[in-house]
């Protein structure tokens, strides 16, 4: 019988120390920079304040991970929009939100 656990603990995602700066540089170089840079900076600032309050880096890691996913998926979204595929049967979340008001 082994003293080792039979499963590996889940390691939380931890971006490289330079990841936020690299991500911001990518956002600034993107054609969506006018919208994306202020949104990233706003989310980063809120996460930084939460991290100061809670002494946890989780919020900062989450912001980096979410924005990395947005940047990575942007070409697929662009390709879909450029393809002219009919997306009229998809749910419009803005329409649903406006109905609730």
């Amino acid at each position: 019988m082994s003293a080792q656990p039979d499963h590996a603990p889940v390691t939380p995602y931890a971006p490289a120390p330079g990841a936020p700066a690299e991500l911001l540089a990518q956002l600034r170089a993107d054609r969506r920079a006018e919208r994306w840079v202020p949104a990233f900076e706003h989310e980063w600032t809120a996460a930084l304040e939460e991290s100061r309050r809670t002494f946890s880096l989780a919020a900062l890691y989450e912001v980096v991970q979410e924005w990395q996913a947005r940047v990575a998926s942007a070409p697929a979204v662009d390709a879909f929009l450029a393809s002219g595929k009919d997306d009229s049967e998809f749910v419009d979340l803005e329409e649903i939100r406006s109905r609730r008001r």
Side-chain angles (χ1 to χ4, degrees), residues 24-38:
L24 187 55
Q26 281 182 301
L27 295 175
R28 287 182 174 144
D30 194 278
R31 66 179 178 80
R32 303 166 190 87
E34 188 176 302
R35 290 176 291 142
W36 279 14
V37 170

Side-chain angles (χ1 to χ4, degrees), residues 42-59:
H42 175 76
E43 290 179 27
W44 182 257
T45 300
L48 189 57
E49 288 304 316
E50 182 179 336
S51 292
R52 287 180 180 144
R53 186 176 45 77
T54 63
F55 298 100
S56 170
L57 298 175

Side-chain angles (χ1 to χ4, degrees), residues 24-96:
L24 187 55
Q26 281 182 301
L27 295 175
R28 287 182 174 144
D30 194 278
R31 66 179 178 80
R32 303 166 190 87
E34 188 176 302
R35 290 176 291 142
W36 279 14
V37 170
F40 172 79
E41 289 174 339
H42 175 76
E43 290 179 27
W44 182 257
T45 300
L48 189 57
E49 288 304 316
E50 182 179 336
S51 292
R52 287 180 180 144
R53 186 176 45 77
T54 63
F55 298 100
S56 170
L57 298 175
L60 294 169
Y61 292 171
E62 187 176 311
V63 169
V64 170
Q65 188 173 19
E66 288 176 1
W67 278 94
Q68 286 174 333
R70 285 182 184 133
V71 169
S73 65
V77 172
D78 290 342
F80 176 81
L81 293 174
S83 71
K85 300 211 185 228
D86 180 17
D87 65 348
S88 62
E89 294 185 26
F90 288 98
V91 176
D92 183 355
L93 294 178
E94 276 304 312
E95 183 179 329
I96 292 170

